[in-house]
Amino acid sequence: MPKKLQPSELEKIIGVLPVKEQQSLRQQDINPAWLQENIARCKGLLRRDLWVGLTWFVAYSAALFVTKFSSLTITIFVFGVIYFIFTIFKTGSFGLNRKRVQVFEQLLNQLTNGKSF
């Protein structure tokens, strides 16, 4: 049976997140299923950012090396900038998602007393 988190425990754990995220979590009915779902979602976002970021970096580096500052290099750069700006505003940055995963895992551990599902 999952236990209920004390407000002081919750505040201590979520203190590393931005204020907007903290307010959202305070209003949320936090349960193990919700936490597991959000951990999986954030890990998926981390994986996506890693793959897109690495692919973009390799493509940009190759274009820069081969063609110097051509229209291809500039186009790849612009696509990367657009993607990263969009993803920061839509789903959060890589660092924020990593913090979310850590916080959600700590909350899950507190709620389940270290038991895995």
Side-chain angles (χ1 to χ4, degrees):
M1 181 73 160
K3 70 176 190 174
K4 198 75 171 153
L5 278 175
Q6 297 297 325
S8 61
E9 290 176 18
L10 179 66
E11 292 301 319
K12 190 169 34 172
I13 294 172
I14 67 173
V16 298
L17 294 174
V19 174
K20 185 178 176 183
E21 297 275 330
Q22 290 178 21
Q23 292 171 346
S24 163
L25 282 173
R26 286 185 198 111
Q27 296 171 354
Q28 179 67 37
D29 178 32
I30 299 174
N31 59 50
W34 183 83
L35 288 169
Q36 288 174 338
E37 177 183 316
N38 279 293
I39 288 170
R41 183 181 64 82
C42 288
K43 283 184 176 181
L45 292 173
L46 287 170
R47 233 180 341 271
R48 182 195 68 187
D49 283 350
L50 186 63
W51 280 104
V52 170
L54 288 175
T55 304
W56 173 80
F57 179 74
V58 169
Y60 179 70
S61 298
L64 189 61
F65 181 73
V66 172
T67 65
K68 306 292 182 231
F69 286 104
S70 69
S71 60
L72 174 66
T73 307
I74 294 169
T75 302
I76 292 172
F77 178 77
V78 168
F79 279 140
V81 168
I82 290 170
Y83 168 78
F84 287 113
I85 289 174
F86 173 77
T87 196
I88 284 171
F89 287 113
K90 187 72 175 167
T91 60
S93 68
F94 185 86
L96 177 59
N97 284 319
R98 190 172 46 204
K99 283 182 186 177
R100 285 176 182 157
V101 168
Q102 292 170 350
V103 166
F104 293 153
E105 286 176 344
Q106 285 180 342
L107 289 171
L108 184 62
N109 192 27
Q110 287 290 325
L111 284 177
T112 61
N113 298 322
K115 298 175 191 168
S116 61
F117 284 90

